[in-house]
Amino acid sequence: MIQFNIHRFAKLARWSLTNDKKYHVKSFLQTFVILLLVFLFFTVVQINVNNRHGFYLACTISVIVSFAVTVILGSSFMFYSMEGKHDMQALLMLPASNFEKYLMRYSSWLILLPLHLVALLGADLLQYVIYWLIGREEVMFVTVAMVEMISDTWHKMPAELHAPLVVSMFFAIAWLHSCYALGATFFRSKKYNWVATTIVIILIALVQLAIFPDSKEVINRMPTVMEVLIAVVWIIVNFWLSYRLFCRNQVIGKFVNV
């Protein structure tokens, strides 16, 4: 069987989106409600900082953390919409290649990004309307405060740190994302595989700091070609192992898929 066929993959995508509709709607509503409650709570508390819109600082940090968690842990969500053995059986029996099935399951987390963005804008608009109706002074959008905070932080940072910071963050996020993709197919627990994966990542980080104590200073300089090459190879290997473990996935098995 051909590993990838665009027409077959389109049918698989339609099947997946239809079956995952309930999960995506639930995720959207959860994000909307949580962000709205966070916005209302922190803007009522009015955190005391030296900023005209200081009480929006916590809201901004909450949004950044929320999207960062979605991007980093997103690959571990590839099976979250599947409930029980029957969904896994249906997936394994679909007339599509393993590569197409893996690609579709991995891509399922990407749908969460626009949904969370819409939830953010909706919660932001609703908190603005609520405070505008009650006559709250200095009401503003959280998204505007977030853009201002990021812009101010960026311009206050020394220019020579801009490039190293962006490159280091990119590879760090990509590596963590690949680790969670591997954990999603290595551990059989579909809902909480990110917990075990996080423990493994912490252990790896501790070992790295013990062996290479100067590695924590990489954020202050541009990574060398060798460091970039190692990071790229490690990320590729993680995704390759994740795919191979997905191919070995079984409906009934042990704690891990090996």
Side-chain angles (χ1 to χ4, degrees):
M1 178 181 290
I2 300 175
Q3 285 296 305
F4 186 83
N5 181 282
I6 187 63
H7 299 292
R8 192 170 59 211
F9 182 75
K11 294 180 181 179
L12 176 62
R14 285 196 296 269
W15 179 88
S16 298
L17 292 175
T18 301
N19 284 272
D20 296 349
K21 182 187 300 184
K22 180 180 177 181
Y23 166 73
H24 289 137
V25 172
K26 180 181 178 180
S27 177
F28 167 78
L29 293 177
Q30 286 178 338
T31 304
F32 174 79
V33 172
I34 292 174
L35 287 178
L36 179 60
L37 292 177
V38 168
F39 293 165
L40 294 178
F41 173 77
F42 283 116
T43 49
V44 168
V45 172
Q46 295 190 13
I47 297 176
N48 184 20
V49 296
N50 295 324
N51 190 295
R52 185 168 61 93
H53 308 297
F55 44 86
Y56 281 98
L57 178 62
C59 299
T60 298
I61 295 176
S62 300
V63 172
I64 294 175
V65 171
S66 173
F67 276 85
V69 168
T70 302
V71 172
I72 295 174
L73 272 66
S75 55
S76 68
F77 301 158
M78 63 174 73
F79 299 110
Y80 272 33
S81 60
M82 305 180 68
E83 299 178 357
K85 299 177 182 178
H86 297 292
D87 288 343
M88 181 59 69
Q89 288 176 340
L91 175 65
L92 296 177
M93 294 176 63
L94 287 175
S97 67
N98 286 330
F99 178 73
E100 291 166 346
K101 295 174 185 177
Y102 176 81
L103 186 61
M104 187 62 235
R105 294 320 308 170
Y106 170 79
S107 302
S108 62
W109 78 271
L110 295 172
I111 303 174
L112 297 177
L113 290 178
L115 290 179
H116 288 185
L117 179 60
V118 173
L120 164 63
L121 296 177
D124 194 12
L125 177 61
L126 187 54
Q127 69 85 23
Y128 185 93
V129 171
I130 290 174
Y131 286 132
W132 178 74
L133 290 176
I134 64 177
R136 171 85 172 262
E137 295 183 359
E138 295 189 0
V139 60
M140 68 179 301
F141 290 107
V142 175
T143 49
V144 174
M146 181 173 61
V147 171
E148 291 182 354
M149 189 193 78
I150 295 176
S151 178
D152 292 341
T153 303
W154 181 262
H155 288 94
K156 291 178 180 178
M157 186 184 304
E160 59 271 14
L161 294 181
H162 287 174
L165 176 64
V166 172
V167 174
S168 299
M169 288 187 60
F170 173 80
F171 281 106
I173 292 174
W175 177 75
L176 288 171
H177 185 79
S178 68
C179 288
Y180 282 104
L182 177 58
T185 53
F186 179 76
F187 298 103
R188 291 194 57 81
S189 175
K190 303 304 182 186
K191 291 295 185 181
Y192 303 104
N193 55 65
W194 64 270
V195 176
T197 306
T198 302
I199 295 174
V200 173
I201 291 175
I202 293 174
L203 293 176
I204 292 175
L206 292 176
V207 171
Q208 181 182 358
L209 289 176
I211 299 176
F212 306 104
D214 296 333
S215 59
K216 60 184 178 180
E217 299 178 359
V218 69
I219 195 173
N220 296 323
R221 60 175 176 81
M222 283 295 292
T224 63
V225 176
M226 181 58 65
E227 290 172 340
V228 172
L229 183 61
I230 292 175
V232 171
V233 171
W234 197 345
I235 292 170
I236 294 175
V237 169
N238 281 344
F239 276 110
W240 180 79
L241 290 174
S242 177
Y243 169 68
R244 297 304 301 174
L245 289 172
F246 174 81
C247 295
R248 295 170 56 90
N249 211 343
Q250 299 178 2
V251 177
I252 301 176
K254 300 179 181 180
F255 179 68
V256 296
N257 291 319
V258 292

